[in-house]
Amino acid sequence: MQSDSLSMKKRPFFLRWAWREIRQGQLWLVTLALSLIIACVFALSALVSRVEGIIVSQGRSALAADMVLKSSQAVDLQKLSTNKVTTSQQTRFGTMAFSDNGMQLVSVKAVDAKFPLRGDLRLQASDQSMHHHVNPGELWLSERLFSLLDVKVGDTLMLGDGELTISGRILEDPELSFNPFSQMPAVLINNQDIAAIGGIQEGSRISYRYYFSGSDSDLADIRETMKLTPSQRWLTENDAGRSGDFIERARQYLSLTLVLVVLMASATLVLTCQHYASTRITSVAMMKSLGASRRFLWRWLLQQIAVVFSVAIGVGLLLGFGLEWLLRYPLQQLLPDELPTIGFAPLVISLLLALFISLPALGIPLSRLVNASAMNTVQATQTPTSKFSAIWLLLIFPVFAAVWWIGSNIFVWLTLLGMVALLVLLALVGLAAIALLQKIKLGSAYALALSRVNRSKAKTATQLAALTCSLMLLAVIGLLRNELLADWKNTLPADAPNVFAINIAPEQQQAYLAYLDENKLERSEGYPVTRGRLVAINEERFYSNEENSSEEQKADSDSENSRSRDESLRRELNFTWAKTLPTHNEVIVGKWGSSSGVSVESGVAKRLNIALGDKLAFTVGGLEFNATVNSIRDVEWRNMKPNFYFIFTPDVLQSFPATWLVSFRVNDQQSDLLNTLASNYPTVSVLDLRMMATRIQALLAQVSWSLTVLAGLGVLSGLLLIMTLLRLSISERQTEIQLYRTLGASRKRIAATLWFEYGIIALLAGIIAAIGAEFVVGLLVVKGFELPFTLHPFMWLGLPVLAIGLVYLVSRSQIKKLLLPLR
């Protein structure tokens, strides 16, 4: 009973002591570092969770479902559907539409009444009422067809072999595609009306799409049970069309930003914990000299840490909620009304990461503190350390957390590995630079500062590495954000083409282009187009027509050559020829020739193992011909410009019949020009992509703003952490400054010495960080995001200036405080 009573009396004492330690500044830096880790991880992971949810939602809305099966053959949907998954079906085919005043080739999308499963289908009837699904007997036309066919709502339109009454116009279709050849003027009907119009005939080119909506686990089960044929593939928000590229890059950048911010906070926590342990050595030694046991010391320290954690959790979560709200506030106009929920994941992740990081950060220095000798009350001595101590096993926790959290994110691992390799190099460069600076004579204060730096090389290296890494991480976050946004801006600039004209007859080509030039429309070059197939590479033939080849042939083909499954071999492609290659294509291998040659797009060349000098065989209209690869081009498929897998020299293809293609841009005030073109050239198909381009621009704007805000938070967090590091470093100089004053040094001399010392460290950190950031960003951009890399000369000046500016801001107040008691 007496022991329990004594324990109860000790507990408030320990708590009061711990609170006094925080209040008086001994533990506030540790508390601040932990609070920053919890706040930043919570805010960033919460916003990343929301933004990823929005990105996924946008991507799935563009699919009209959570997952889509695209097939050239009908599939028994009942075998795939379950009670937990909602399904829908669409059949696509082309046919002619006839009115009393015209005719037009249209793309028919026959859907059921449940379409779409995601996104918004907006259909406007004659009474201005809005509909969102297609019912049997209804016919909905895209806006342009009303002028092309000279019809109005309520008229009868002959579609194929049947007649349907026009129900209204299509204002918005959620499905999104970057392929202009799939954007024929569209009509929507119900699946039940396919038979009435005779849409499916023997030999018809039919495309089927099966839509699924449900939980990720249920969708994964469906994918596992479905064995795909070469003519089938799954579409998700990541690989549907070209939009999946920037969606995936955005997701990777969000994760990378979060990891880098945690790294900066963790470095600060480690240094603050070491600082706290070093300031408590005298207190621990005094306790030991008075008979305190190691058990008592551990209880004393752990109760202080428990109070620190409690305060840090409260402050960190409060700041985290506030930061997450502040991050969302600028995006209110871009974010949907109903935001995705964040769940408990950000809370769990922030607390677990703080715990795993703090275990070695606090455990290792506190262990050394408890083992400090009682002789430290008389004379400072080094704490004996063995070659191996079980306490170092605590490092397993952050390592395990990193492996579990980062997973297979190649961008983050590239960054971390690059940093580890650079740390050694940076240390050597920093020491070499300091040695060179000793040869410069700038007075006694400068010499004293360099002497101080050289005398405490370990501490100087720690300060230099911490400041350098923080600056480097800030630069990496900002530069990667700029690289991604620049890539997206170049991909789909504001003046990108938004109309394609295809099937221009050769005799119409000159007049058509002249009309565009007369009306001052920005246009591309005219491209002749013919359709054909790639059938062989270096006399190795492919069985691309599954319907006409036996199962044995297909099995042999697949076993001998896995590339025969590539989509480019399973369908007809658009070929063109030209004297010169398009200016928006970059030749990366080889050189464009003038005869018997073909230039190959880099993606298909990589997938099919096509190299320079390979002999390729093609067929057009049943006629086979050969061409030799003379160059490989890098093509940006998302820029909505005419692009081709294969471009031939004129002598190879110009003898084949072809139609012409051109892209151009019209604004909202030039819509009448499209109607005039359709009237003057009724056989030319004009593909109006303005609605699609607007939706893509909106999606890009939303993701761009999200990345900007996240990068801003990362930079702000990094700046706060750098300033904390500088304050911590300068505050450690109190004893040394008192010694200088005792020896007669003036306040002016001491201040100048400190300015020189930290100015030199800041200058070196800024320069070395610029070198490291260029290396890491180059590695990530080229190997990770697969983008071209350019140097960033503004950073070479910006980082040193930023580092010196931060040192000035922090040192100005801190140095005054250090010198104040000595007046």
Side-chain angles (χ1 to χ4, degrees):
M1 290 294 293
Q2 186 175 0
S3 175
D4 293 342
S5 176
L6 182 62
S7 177
M8 292 295 292
K9 289 180 180 179
K10 288 181 179 178
R11 191 170 302 161
F13 167 72
F14 281 130
L15 294 178
R16 288 196 303 271
W17 194 346
W19 181 249
R20 186 168 62 250
E21 290 277 270
I22 297 175
R23 233 177 7 156
Q24 293 180 354
Q26 301 302 326
L27 279 174
W28 79 270
L29 287 174
V30 178
T31 308
L32 175 61
L34 278 173
S35 299
L36 282 174
I37 290 177
I38 295 173
C40 291
V41 172
F42 180 87
L44 278 172
S45 58
L47 187 62
V48 165
S49 177
R50 290 195 196 276
V51 171
E52 283 191 349
I54 293 168
I55 291 173
V56 170
S57 178
Q58 289 279 356
R60 292 183 173 183
S61 294
L63 281 176
D66 295 337
M67 185 175 70
V68 179
L69 174 62
K70 184 178 179 182
S71 176
S72 62
Q73 299 174 344
V75 174
D76 187 354
L77 194 57
Q78 292 183 350
K79 293 183 178 180
L80 295 177
S81 60
T82 65
N83 295 331
K84 298 180 181 180
V85 176
T86 306
T87 60
S88 179
Q89 179 177 343
Q90 180 188 114
T91 305
R92 295 187 182 188
F93 55 90
T95 190
M96 291 298 298
F98 300 90
S99 68
D100 293 338
N101 302 307
M103 61 181 180
Q104 177 67 40
L105 179 65
V106 297
S107 174
V108 178
K109 295 170 63 175
V111 300
D112 56 26
K114 293 184 290 185
F115 178 87
L117 301 183
R118 294 288 294 265
D120 190 19
L121 176 64
R122 299 174 61 237
L123 308 170
Q124 187 181 54
S126 57
D127 59 357
Q128 305 301 311
S129 62
M130 204 65 62
H131 299 252
H132 302 281
H133 299 280
V134 180
N135 297 314
E138 294 180 347
L139 173 63
W140 303 88
L141 307 185
S142 59
E143 183 67 36
R144 251 185 350 106
L145 282 175
F146 285 93
S147 58
L148 291 175
L149 297 174
D150 192 15
V151 293
K152 60 182 182 298
V153 178
D155 288 351
T156 299
L157 187 68
M158 188 163 186
L159 197 63
D161 297 333
E163 292 185 351
L164 291 173
T165 301
I166 301 174
S167 304
R169 61 193 72 229
I170 305 171
L171 295 185
E172 183 176 347
D173 187 346
E175 290 185 295
L176 200 62
S177 172
F178 281 89
N179 181 5
F181 296 98
S182 67
Q183 297 294 320
M184 299 293 289
V187 302
L188 284 174
I189 65 171
N190 191 275
N191 271 328
Q192 297 181 20
D193 298 320
I194 294 178
I197 65 174
I200 300 180
Q201 304 289 338
E202 185 175 353
S204 300
R205 298 179 64 88
I206 310 296
S207 174
Y208 298 92
R209 294 199 176 197
Y210 301 92
Y211 301 84
F212 302 86
S213 182
S215 66
D216 291 342
S217 59
D218 292 331
L219 296 178
D221 291 340
I222 291 177
R223 294 188 68 162
E224 290 178 1
T225 57
M226 177 69 180
K227 294 183 178 180
L228 299 183
T229 67
S231 61
Q232 296 173 334
R233 68 186 181 105
W234 291 105
L235 300 178
T236 66
E237 72 275 5
N238 294 328
D239 52 18
R242 306 293 174 180
S243 58
D245 294 339
F246 69 80
I247 288 176
E248 183 59 26
R249 286 175 180 175
R251 181 184 287 120
Q252 296 282 14
Y253 177 81
L254 299 180
S255 301
L256 179 62
T257 302
L258 179 54
V259 171
L260 295 185
V261 171
V262 171
L263 282 177
M264 289 186 286
S266 301
T268 303
L269 178 63
V270 170
L271 292 177
T272 53
C273 291
Q274 291 177 347
H275 169 71
Y276 171 73
S278 65
T279 60
R280 298 293 88 191
I281 290 178
T282 303
S283 299
V284 169
M286 185 177 297
M287 289 181 184
K288 281 191 171 184
S289 66
L290 295 176
S293 65
R294 295 180 75 254
R295 181 179 179 184
F296 175 86
L297 292 174
W298 271 117
R299 186 187 306 171
W300 171 62
L301 292 171
L302 290 178
Q303 290 200 20
Q304 292 185 55
I305 298 304
V307 174
V308 168
F309 257 98
S310 300
V311 174
I313 289 173
V315 174
L317 291 180
L318 185 63
L319 288 175
F321 277 107
L323 282 174
E324 200 270 338
W325 182 84
L326 288 175
L327 284 170
R328 285 192 284 114
Y329 183 78
L331 304 177
Q332 286 183 345
Q333 300 298 322
L334 296 171
L335 299 179
D337 295 332
E338 295 184 6
L339 292 175
T341 59
I342 60 175
F344 291 100
L347 175 63
V348 174
I349 290 174
S350 60
L351 296 182
L352 282 180
L353 279 178
L355 177 62
F356 287 166
I357 293 170
S358 60
L359 281 175
L362 284 165
I364 294 174
L366 291 183
S367 176
R368 299 181 64 183
L369 177 61
V370 170
N371 292 326
S373 172
M375 291 298 295
N376 281 281
T377 56
V378 180
Q379 180 180 4
T381 60
Q382 291 291 331
T383 302
T385 56
S386 58
K387 293 184 178 180
F388 177 79
S389 175
I391 197 68
W392 289 95
L393 293 176
L394 291 175
L395 291 172
I396 295 175
F397 288 96
V399 172
F400 171 77
V403 173
W404 167 74
W405 189 33
I406 299 174
S408 59
N409 193 326
I410 185 65
F411 309 105
V412 177
W413 287 120
L414 283 174
T415 304
L416 297 179
L417 292 175
M419 287 182 57
V420 170
L422 283 173
L423 281 176
V424 178
L425 179 63
L426 296 180
L428 296 175
V429 171
L431 293 176
I434 292 173
L436 291 175
L437 289 174
Q438 288 183 304
K439 299 181 179 180
I440 302 175
K441 306 299 181 182
L442 292 177
S444 59
Y446 175 78
L448 185 59
L450 282 179
S451 174
R452 169 71 180 83
V453 169
N454 283 317
R455 188 169 63 252
S456 305
K457 291 184 179 180
K459 186 170 290 187
T460 299
T462 301
Q463 294 171 351
L464 181 62
L467 186 58
T468 299
C469 287
S470 299
L471 290 170
M472 185 172 66
L473 292 177
L474 291 183
V476 168
I477 291 174
L479 292 179
L480 280 182
R481 175 256 179 196
N482 293 338
E483 292 287 347
L484 286 180
L485 296 189
D487 172 59
W488 294 344
K489 184 177 180 180
N490 293 332
T491 294
L492 193 63
D495 59 349
N498 52 18
V499 178
F500 277 74
I502 63 175
N503 297 329
I504 305 174
E507 61 272 14
Q508 298 174 322
Q509 186 243 351
Q510 293 297 330
Y512 199 97
L513 297 182
Y515 181 84
L516 299 179
D517 294 336
E518 289 172 5
N519 288 276
K520 298 181 180 180
L521 298 178
E522 295 183 16
R523 66 171 179 86
S524 69
E525 296 295 325
Y527 295 92
V529 178
T530 188
R531 298 195 47 95
R533 289 180 181 270
L534 172 65
V535 295
I537 300 176
N538 293 328
E539 299 183 357
E540 183 180 358
R541 306 191 71 82
F542 306 105
Y543 295 96
S544 58
N545 188 352
E546 290 84 5
E547 292 79 11
N548 294 333
S549 61
S550 66
E551 294 297 327
E552 291 80 5
Q553 286 176 317
K554 285 186 285 185
D556 291 341
S557 175
D558 290 342
S559 62
E560 293 175 2
N561 191 355
S562 60
R563 60 188 177 184
S564 63
R565 291 184 177 273
D566 191 85
E567 184 184 2
S568 61
L569 300 178
R570 303 198 305 265
R571 61 183 176 88
E572 286 190 336
L573 304 174
N574 294 294
F575 298 156
T576 190
W577 64 91
K579 293 182 179 180
T580 58
L581 294 176
T583 56
H584 56 274
N585 287 186
E586 179 185 359
V587 176
I588 56 177
V589 178
K591 184 178 180 181
W592 180 244
S594 59
S595 63
S596 304
V598 60
S599 180
V600 184
E601 185 265 340
S602 58
V604 74
K606 182 178 180 180
R607 296 196 305 271
L608 301 180
N609 296 322
I610 296 176
L612 208 65
D614 284 353
K615 184 178 180 181
L616 309 184
F618 303 87
T619 60
V620 171
L623 300 177
E624 185 170 322
F625 60 93
N626 297 320
T628 302
V629 178
N630 60 22
S631 60
I632 295 177
R633 294 167 292 113
D634 191 11
V635 175
E636 177 51 73
W637 293 97
R638 300 168 296 171
N639 58 19
M640 299 184 72
K641 295 180 180 179
N643 285 310
F644 303 87
Y645 281 134
F646 300 97
I647 300 179
F648 298 83
T649 53
D651 63 300
V652 177
L653 256 180
Q654 64 183 357
S655 61
F656 289 91
T659 57
W660 287 74
L661 159 71
V662 66
S663 67
F664 54 95
R665 179 171 183 81
V666 298
N667 55 41
D668 295 335
Q669 291 73 36
Q670 296 173 314
S671 298
D672 292 339
L673 289 175
L674 296 182
N675 297 331
T676 302
L677 282 170
S679 177
N680 294 341
Y681 302 92
T683 60
V684 176
S685 298
V686 179
L687 313 179
D688 189 355
L689 309 180
R690 285 178 293 176
M691 181 181 297
M692 184 186 73
T694 301
R695 291 187 59 201
I696 297 172
Q697 291 282 12
L699 180 58
L700 282 174
Q702 179 172 310
V703 176
S704 300
W705 272 104
S706 300
L707 296 192
T708 301
V709 174
L710 283 173
L713 176 63
V715 170
L716 179 61
S717 301
L719 292 177
L720 291 174
L721 296 175
I722 291 173
M723 295 179 72
T724 302
L725 289 172
L726 292 174
R727 289 172 61 88
L728 174 63
S729 175
I730 295 176
S731 67
E732 293 177 347
R733 307 297 301 278
Q734 182 69 54
T735 303
E736 187 175 348
I737 290 175
Q738 291 176 350
L739 177 61
Y740 287 159
R741 289 291 283 157
T742 302
L743 296 176
S746 65
R747 293 176 64 250
K748 184 178 180 180
R749 175 66 57 83
I750 295 173
T753 301
L754 292 174
W755 285 117
F756 271 120
E757 179 182 344
Y758 285 98
I760 291 170
I761 292 176
L763 180 64
L764 289 176
I767 295 173
I768 298 172
I771 299 172
E774 287 283 19
F775 176 81
V776 174
V777 171
L779 188 66
L780 287 172
V781 167
V782 176
K783 297 296 184 181
F785 292 115
E786 296 182 352
L787 299 175
F789 173 70
T790 56
L791 292 175
H792 308 87
F794 67 90
M795 183 187 61
W796 292 78
L797 177 63
L799 281 185
V801 171
L802 174 62
I804 294 174
L806 290 174
V807 167
Y808 174 78
L809 290 176
V810 176
S811 302
R812 186 175 183 181
S813 60
Q814 287 293 102
I815 292 177
K816 287 182 178 179
K817 290 181 181 179
L818 292 178
L819 298 177
L820 187 61
L822 304 177
R823 291 178 178 177

